[in-house]
Amino acid sequence: MKLFVTGIGTEIGKTVCSAILTNHFKADYWKPVQSGDLHYTDSMKINNWVGHEVCCYPETYRLHIAASPHQSAAAEGKQISVEDFQLPDTSNTLVVEGAGGLMVPLSDHEFMIDLIEKLQLPVALVVRNYLGCINHTLLSIMALREKGLSLKYLILNGSFPTDTERVIINYIEKETHIIRIPEIDSITKENIETISNNLKHVYNG
């Protein structure tokens, strides 16, 4: 299985959720674009947080500025195209983590969702509760449907009000698995392993 982890926005826990999935499936990991934080990349975090000896494939783009990939690339005189990306050659399960949400621009004309479409991967959509998360979640699901992309997992990261969760779950297809991740006080290898060992995939409906 190969899976693309994306989110409804930034700073909602995609990398933590990717670590949990990587540990749960004993998977390999790939971050196609790293913008900023080159001193402590998401691949480095995965290596620190995951229990097994995980294979982290090198990023296609490592950009210095912590900004949208198209802005970071432009600052370095580069232009990103979805044709630049090829899935790592592995027979193992692979977790691919995107940058930001679906409409994060890779260039002036291509977005993260175009990369998912090019790679033809099922999607795990990470959702975190905040004012506006229902709107952002439903718009993300609409965008995936418009592209004909499969939403394999809806990941509810942290606690949610009942009314919020109900509206979101009522909107997804019955084939989509729901994964609930508890609030994590401290991100450690031990906590990631405990959560991943107890991970359950619940079908909607």
Side-chain angles (χ1 to χ4, degrees):
M1 181 184 71
K2 294 175 175 60
L3 185 68
F4 198 106
V5 179
T6 188
I8 63 169
T10 58
E11 302 301 324
I12 55 160
K14 285 193 312 298
T15 304
V16 171
C17 291
S18 293
I20 291 168
L21 293 174
T22 299
N23 196 81
H24 179 74
F25 291 115
K26 301 296 183 280
D28 297 342
Y29 173 87
W30 180 42
K31 178 87 173 185
V33 180
Q34 177 73 42
S35 287
D37 298 324
L38 297 186
H39 65 288
Y40 190 39
T41 66
D42 290 341
S43 295
M44 294 174 186
K45 293 173 184 174
I46 294 294
N47 264 316
N48 287 341
W49 294 343
V50 172
H52 67 278
E53 190 171 332
V54 59
C55 177
C56 290
Y57 292 93
E59 302 90 342
T60 303
Y61 283 94
R62 291 170 57 89
L63 304 168
H64 288 88
I65 298 176
S68 173
H70 84 304
Q71 180 181 346
S72 300
E76 297 182 24
K78 301 173 182 176
Q79 183 160 347
I80 301 174
S81 166
V82 296
E83 296 305 318
D84 301 335
F85 299 89
Q86 297 294 330
L87 277 173
D89 185 13
T90 176
S91 58
N92 198 13
T93 297
L94 178 67
V95 172
V96 181
E97 182 186 350
L102 292 169
M103 298 308 294
V104 164
L106 296 169
S107 68
D108 287 358
H109 306 290
E110 292 181 323
F111 301 85
M112 195 60 61
I113 195 170
D114 297 311
L115 177 58
I116 302 172
E117 183 180 34
K118 192 261 183 182
L119 299 175
Q120 283 296 295
L121 296 181
V123 171
L125 180 65
V126 179
V127 182
R128 191 157 182 84
N129 180 56
Y130 56 83
L131 185 61
C133 75
I134 296 174
N135 179 57
H136 294 160
T137 302
L138 302 194
L139 286 173
S140 295
I141 295 170
M142 287 174 63
L144 292 171
R145 287 177 181 167
E146 185 176 296
K147 288 281 191 180
L149 297 168
S150 169
L151 179 58
K152 186 173 180 65
Y153 297 111
L154 180 79
I155 302 178
L156 299 175
N157 184 26
S159 59
F160 284 78
T162 301
D163 292 337
T164 297
E165 184 173 323
R166 184 179 65 252
V167 171
I168 291 172
I169 289 177
N170 283 345
Y171 194 73
I172 64 176
E173 304 291 343
K174 293 188 180 297
E175 293 78 16
T176 298
H177 296 271
I178 300 164
I179 296 176
R180 292 179 174 86
I181 304 294
E183 293 286 352
I184 303 175
D185 294 330
S186 177
I187 304 172
T188 64
K189 183 179 292 187
E190 291 73 24
N191 287 343
I192 294 292
E193 185 165 7
T194 297
I195 293 169
S196 68
N197 288 341
N198 294 307
L199 205 63
K200 295 179 181 178
H201 314 152
V202 181
Y203 278 115
N204 180 33

